[in-house]
Amino acid sequence: MPKKILTGVVVSDKPNKTITVMVERKNYNAHDENNTFKTGDKVSIIESKPFSKNKKFQVMENTK
């Protein structure tokens, strides 16, 4: 089964190693290992193994 790949804008980067990405009207929590991405960045996220109760996506890349 193929994994979902979504593109959106970072709306929060406050928690450690976590960013919140808004895709259309829905927010997703995604794992950001190195705390690289900041609020306002456009990123692609991919479905992955669960990192926590609400975090089931991982950041793939920064899209410009």
Side-chain angles (χ1 to χ4, degrees):
M1 182 175 210
K3 296 182 178 188
K4 290 183 192 175
I5 297 176
L6 306 171
T7 302
V9 177
V10 178
V11 292
S12 173
D13 63 346
K14 296 207 185 289
N16 189 29
K17 296 187 180 182
T18 302
I19 59 174
T20 303
V21 179
M22 179 178 268
V23 178
E24 293 182 15
R25 296 183 183 193
K26 192 169 182 183
N27 288 342
Y28 294 92
N29 289 329
H31 185 70
D32 178 15
E33 182 65 35
N34 300 321
N35 293 320
T36 319
F37 302 100
K38 302 297 176 201
T39 303
D41 290 348
K42 192 170 181 185
V43 296
S44 291
I45 56 175
I46 188 167
E47 197 172 22
S48 64
K49 66 178 177 72
F51 288 96
S52 67
K53 179 180 175 184
N54 296 322
K55 200 165 34 166
K56 296 175 179 72
F57 285 85
Q58 184 171 11
V59 178
M60 260 182 31
E61 62 187 359
N62 192 358
T63 57
K64 296 190 179 197

